[in-house]
Amino acid sequence: MNDTRQKQLGATLWGIADKLRGAMNADDFRDYMLSFLFLRYLSDNYEDAAKRELGKDYEQCEVEILNAIDSTRQGENPKAAIRNDIPGAAFLNEFAKKLESQDYPKSKENKKVTPLAVWYEKNMNDVAMFEKQMRRKVHYVIQPDYLWSNIYELARTQSRDLLKTLQQGFKYIENESFDSAFRGLFSEVNLDSDKLGKNYEARNKMLCSIITEIAEGLAEFTNESDLLGNAYEYLIGQFAAGSGKKAGEFYTPQQISTILSRIVILDSQNPSTGKRPYINNLLDFACGSASLLINVKKHLEPNSISQIYGQEKNITTYNLARMNMLLHGFKDSEFQIFHGDSLLNDWDILNEMNPSKKIQCDAVVANPPFSYRWEPSESLAEDFRFKSYGLAPKSAADFAFLLHGFHFLSDEGTMAIILPHGVLFRGGAEEKIRTKLLKDGSIDTIIGLPSNLFFSTGIPVCIMVLKKCKNPNDVLFINASEHFERGKRQNVLLPEHVDRIVETYQFRKEEKKYSRRVSMEEIEKNGYNLNISRYVSTSVEEEIIDLAVVKTNLDETEDIIRKAKAKHNQFLKELGLPELP
């Protein structure tokens, strides 16, 4: 799908959101719209897979529906009503186009059925085996009543059953569709909310409008995972832009996400050789909507990551992350996302005390909340993540997040984390942790980014790249703070800015006023302070002034003035006028 179509889809979906949300808070409307987009993808993908699986049986059901419709025409009237008793409980899919082409009406009373619904009704004894096969091939099952095609038909015909069917469908998908744990996937989508309407009828009417607009807006676009996945990301970004500081909790701008992704997939020991052929485990312990995890996968070949791990504390964002992964074509067996607090390390699989069983990740990425206030207990001082380094202060958990991810980094891995600049120079406990990391040779690169790139804050931030085993005994500093395009609300990194940062890292380039490799001796002399401008300054150098030359120039100028004045007074004298003093 080309960029033009991608932009068209994004604009279409955002136009729908802007039109329908009315006075509803953008965050609230986001949850409804993204959930329905997700349901549409799951449903269409499932029906396409069912068609392939059932083969001729599916085609026969298509024929039967067409014959049934033909047999219900009243006399010669080509627009006669279609009988309501055609077998099946779900409606509409690709089939709607066939009906349209034959000029069949769309009255509120008419129901359109799908071949899958007909097959279910005709083959009740085979349904269990069919669903077992579908779970093996596409990893989930959706019963015909809850498919998007049926939901859309209920919305289009303003059916009073829409809200009830949606509630049942969401519950079914959460509890029965997937073999693995997807409970609570729609827990933040409150279909009984007064924000949708004051009573059942009003809420049902609002949902009819939202779903009809989405379905008709998407009608001309295919169900490709890349297309819809990118549209999903686009909407998350647009909603984030409208959410102000709240957005920082779950959204990393794509350009910054791309920088981190392209860095961690390079060979750890020798980045100049290019991408790693295989990554043994990828981790984002503050994964938000999972955009970073998805971005890393985009830059690699298929089947090149063994397992993807994500953790998210915010329940709404946790649900968005799981939907986002599935919508981008990830099978539920390819990733694990856990709802919990990374600082407390409450995920059992990451809390393994036996070193031989510890999960080790070749790539770790993260954009944790900046300078997050936390309450470290005394027992955390002995935690295996912090024991060798010390605890981050209560006022800023930045190094606590860093050390959490760093603990699970493999010896051959690369970690890239977004942090506020304060971690580079603040004293106290943070200075001790920073010094220990530097002395151990764990900090590889510091990248300074422009200000106002995030929706959550206008402050400039940095990317810190860490490794447990690195070759060069220096730290690469990249000062990219003045390389960006100014936007209306946020500054933006263009592709050329991203490329320059990544290539400078990959080939460890040095460039005046942009990048420099700094020896550990120099860093030690500076008290292990990593303030970027101390090593790579972008300030304009003041011109050196030679005072002796200035005095000579002044003397010459005064001599010219003296001679000119004498000549002028000579003229005045000849004219009989008073001379100048």
Side-chain angles (χ1 to χ4, degrees):
M1 182 61 63
N2 59 42
D3 289 342
T4 301
R5 292 289 282 171
Q6 186 68 67
K7 290 176 182 177
Q8 287 174 347
L9 176 56
T12 297
L13 291 170
W14 184 243
I16 293 169
D18 203 36
K19 172 184 175 182
L20 293 177
R21 78 177 180 90
M24 192 185 299
N25 182 282
D27 284 343
D28 295 323
F29 191 78
R30 174 199 68 204
D31 297 335
Y32 295 113
M33 186 149 190
L34 294 180
S35 295
F36 296 147
L37 186 62
F38 174 67
L39 177 60
R40 193 261 197 182
Y41 169 76
L42 280 186
S43 297
D44 287 4
N45 190 52
Y46 185 74
E47 288 190 273
D48 288 343
K51 183 175 182 178
R52 293 192 298 271
E53 181 65 25
L54 296 175
K56 291 184 179 179
D57 286 351
Y58 190 97
E59 294 173 6
Q60 181 60 34
C61 290
E62 287 183 319
V63 172
E64 288 184 19
I65 294 174
L66 283 175
N67 290 339
I69 292 172
D70 286 338
S71 68
T72 61
R73 286 184 174 181
Q74 298 174 2
E76 299 300 321
N77 182 359
K79 292 193 175 182
I82 301 170
R83 200 171 65 232
N84 290 332
D85 60 352
I86 298 173
F91 320 101
L92 204 65
N93 73 356
E94 67 190 27
F95 209 177
K97 294 181 180 179
K98 294 183 180 179
L99 302 182
E100 291 282 357
S101 67
Q102 297 181 40
D103 201 25
Y104 284 109
K106 284 186 176 180
S107 69
K108 289 184 179 180
E109 294 77 21
N110 291 339
K111 296 181 178 180
K112 296 178 180 178
V113 297
T114 62
L116 188 58
V118 174
W119 186 89
Y120 261 68
E121 184 151 320
K122 290 176 60 180
N123 300 274
M124 295 300 293
N125 293 334
D126 297 326
V127 166
M129 183 61 69
F130 167 73
E131 291 187 348
K132 182 178 180 181
Q133 187 73 349
M134 292 299 284
R135 288 185 189 280
R136 188 178 69 82
K137 291 191 173 181
V138 293
H139 291 248
Y140 66 93
V141 166
I142 302 181
Q143 290 184 350
D145 280 359
Y146 308 131
L147 290 167
W148 176 255
S149 52
N150 183 41
I151 297 299
Y152 165 51
E153 183 68 8
L154 292 175
R156 185 188 66 77
T157 58
Q158 299 284 305
S159 170
R160 195 179 185 282
D161 293 333
L162 173 65
L163 175 51
K164 179 178 67 176
T165 305
L166 263 179
Q167 289 173 322
Q168 293 171 346
F170 282 175
K171 185 176 181 181
Y172 175 85
I173 292 172
E174 286 182 326
N175 298 325
E176 299 182 49
S177 282
F178 295 88
D179 284 334
S180 59
F182 275 84
R183 294 188 181 278
L185 193 62
F186 299 102
S187 62
E188 295 299 291
V189 184
N190 184 4
L191 297 174
D192 287 325
S193 172
D194 288 344
K195 294 172 182 178
L196 284 172
K198 293 183 178 180
N199 52 44
Y200 182 96
E201 286 71 22
R203 292 192 286 273
N204 194 73
K205 184 177 180 181
M206 179 64 168
L207 288 170
C208 285
S209 298
I210 295 172
I211 290 168
T212 300
E213 288 279 354
I214 292 174
E216 294 178 357
L218 287 173
E220 63 177 289
F221 298 97
T222 63
N223 197 48
E224 299 170 33
S225 61
D226 284 346
L227 178 66
L228 284 179
N230 290 339
Y232 195 89
E233 288 280 326
Y234 172 82
L235 284 177
I236 289 174
Q238 290 296 100
F239 281 117
S243 302
K245 291 187 177 181
K246 286 185 179 181
E249 298 176 3
F250 67 88
Y251 187 72
T252 304
Q254 282 296 308
Q255 313 96 328
I256 302 175
S257 176
T258 297
I259 294 172
L260 270 69
S261 301
R262 289 176 58 184
I263 283 175
V264 298
I265 64 172
L266 293 172
D267 183 85
S268 175
Q269 297 304 303
N270 191 359
S272 62
T273 60
K275 296 180 185 179
R276 307 166 62 104
Y278 185 78
I279 287 179
N280 181 36
N281 299 328
L282 164 66
L283 169 67
D284 183 348
F285 52 84
C287 70
S289 58
S291 62
L292 259 172
L293 294 172
I294 292 165
N295 210 324
V296 172
K297 181 67 180 293
K298 280 183 182 177
H299 288 88
L300 291 168
E301 299 299 320
N303 304 315
S304 54
I305 302 178
S306 59
Q307 185 71 5
I308 296 174
Y309 298 96
Q311 184 162 357
E312 174 56 37
K313 184 178 180 181
N314 182 294
I315 181 64
T316 303
T317 314
Y318 162 66
N319 289 334
L320 280 182
R322 294 188 292 170
M323 290 185 198
N324 204 7
M325 294 291 285
L326 292 169
L327 200 105
H328 276 85
F330 289 85
K331 292 184 175 63
D332 60 328
S333 58
E334 293 179 310
F335 67 93
Q336 296 183 55
I337 295 182
F338 180 77
H339 177 226
D341 190 334
S342 292
L343 293 179
L344 299 179
N345 201 23
D346 52 6
W347 192 1
D348 289 343
I349 65 173
L350 295 184
N351 205 5
E352 176 58 59
M353 300 297 292
N354 187 338
S356 64
K357 296 182 179 179
K358 181 182 77 171
I359 289 178
Q360 298 193 43
C361 304
D362 288 343
V364 178
V365 290
N367 176 24
F370 304 147
S371 300
Y372 178 77
R373 296 189 68 86
W374 69 315
E375 296 293 334
S377 62
E378 291 183 7
S379 61
L380 277 179
E382 295 300 313
D383 188 284
F384 52 74
R385 299 166 296 164
F386 310 132
K387 188 174 182 179
S388 300
Y389 299 90
L391 287 175
K394 293 181 179 180
S395 59
D398 303 305
F399 270 115
F401 283 117
L402 182 151
L403 291 173
H404 173 83
F406 188 68
H407 176 78
F408 300 104
L409 184 67
S410 70
D411 289 345
E412 299 298 318
T414 302
M415 175 177 174
I417 181 173
I418 303 169
L419 298 165
H421 273 235
V423 301
L424 302 177
F425 52 79
R426 289 192 294 240
E430 291 182 294
E431 181 181 1
K432 292 179 181 178
I433 296 171
R434 183 174 63 245
T435 300
K436 168 70 171 168
L437 288 168
L438 284 165
K439 287 182 175 180
D440 289 349
S442 300
I443 298 178
D444 179 84
T445 302
I446 304 291
I447 303 168
L449 297 176
S451 60
N452 203 30
L453 290 177
F454 289 81
F455 297 115
S456 56
T457 179
I459 65 171
V461 299
C462 67
I463 297 172
M464 187 179 290
V465 182
L466 299 103
K467 299 173 184 178
K468 290 190 173 178
C469 301
K470 68 185 182 80
N471 288 325
N473 188 29
D474 57 36
V475 176
L476 174 65
F477 285 83
I478 301 174
N479 193 340
S481 60
E482 296 185 4
H483 302 270
F484 61 92
E485 182 175 84
R486 197 173 302 279
K488 291 181 180 179
R489 288 178 294 186
Q490 267 75 39
N491 293 328
V492 177
L493 295 178
L494 298 177
E496 54 264 35
H497 300 139
V498 173
D499 289 343
R500 187 179 183 187
I501 290 171
V502 175
E503 288 170 9
T504 301
Y505 163 80
Q506 181 176 4
F507 299 104
R508 226 162 175 76
K509 296 178 182 178
E510 293 189 281
E511 184 178 340
K512 189 175 182 180
K513 294 185 182 298
Y514 187 76
S515 60
R516 182 175 162 230
R517 296 174 64 170
V518 180
S519 68
M520 288 305 301
E521 289 76 17
E522 182 177 347
I523 293 173
E524 183 180 1
K525 287 178 182 178
N526 283 306
Y528 298 99
N529 185 313
L530 297 179
N531 196 344
I532 299 171
S533 59
R534 182 177 294 234
Y535 303 102
V536 183
S537 176
T538 59
S539 60
V540 178
E541 295 178 3
E542 294 184 6
E543 183 181 354
I544 297 175
I545 299 173
D546 189 329
L547 294 179
V549 173
V550 172
K551 184 179 185 307
T552 299
N553 290 338
L554 285 174
D555 290 343
E556 291 176 353
T557 301
E558 287 180 357
D559 186 53
I560 292 171
I561 293 172
R562 181 180 56 76
K563 291 178 179 179
K565 182 178 177 182
K567 187 174 182 179
H568 187 67
N569 281 338
Q570 181 64 35
F571 292 145
L572 292 175
K573 184 178 181 182
E574 291 175 0
L575 294 171
L577 297 174
E579 299 179 16
L580 295 174

